[in-house]
Amino acid sequence: MKSNTFKNEITRLINEAKEQGLPYVDIVSGDVHRSVGGYPSKNHSMPLCCDVMYSMKRSKDEILHAPAKGKGATLTIRYYIS
């Protein structure tokens, strides 16, 4: 799985929220990975998915939940629509 796959899905979710006029969207790493495929499985790319989510986080966005090790299926970031 490539980082662009995750980036495209996160961008799609943010754009969908923008089109609906929402002020923000809460994105969960497990949901992102499930929607693009490959999770759950032995060969999942959850660390990469989380890295992409963190890299797309801007200063005004909020981490609502981070797993103990920082990367996992429950990472939740609130991305504010600008």
Side-chain angles (χ1 to χ4, degrees):
M1 186 102 20
K2 296 189 176 188
S3 60
N4 277 350
T5 304
F6 295 117
K7 186 173 183 178
N8 290 342
E9 177 63 10
I10 294 163
T11 300
R12 185 189 71 75
L13 292 169
I14 292 170
N15 287 339
E16 191 176 87
K18 186 176 187 177
E19 288 170 12
Q20 294 175 13
L22 300 174
Y24 61 82
V25 60
D26 295 343
I27 298 180
V28 180
S29 55
D31 296 342
V32 171
H33 202 326
R34 267 189 281 289
S35 68
V36 301
Y39 183 81
S41 77
K42 288 182 184 177
N43 300 318
H44 68 79
S45 300
M46 189 58 70
L48 178 60
C49 179
C50 293
D51 286 342
V52 172
M53 285 182 62
Y54 283 125
S55 74
M56 293 180 72
K57 180 188 169 298
R58 299 162 300 171
S59 59
K60 65 182 176 180
D61 299 330
E62 295 178 72
I63 296 172
L64 299 182
H65 176 79
K69 294 184 179 178
K71 297 176 186 175
T74 59
L75 173 64
T76 308
I77 298 179
R78 176 168 287 172
Y79 296 93
Y80 286 93
I81 310 302
S82 51

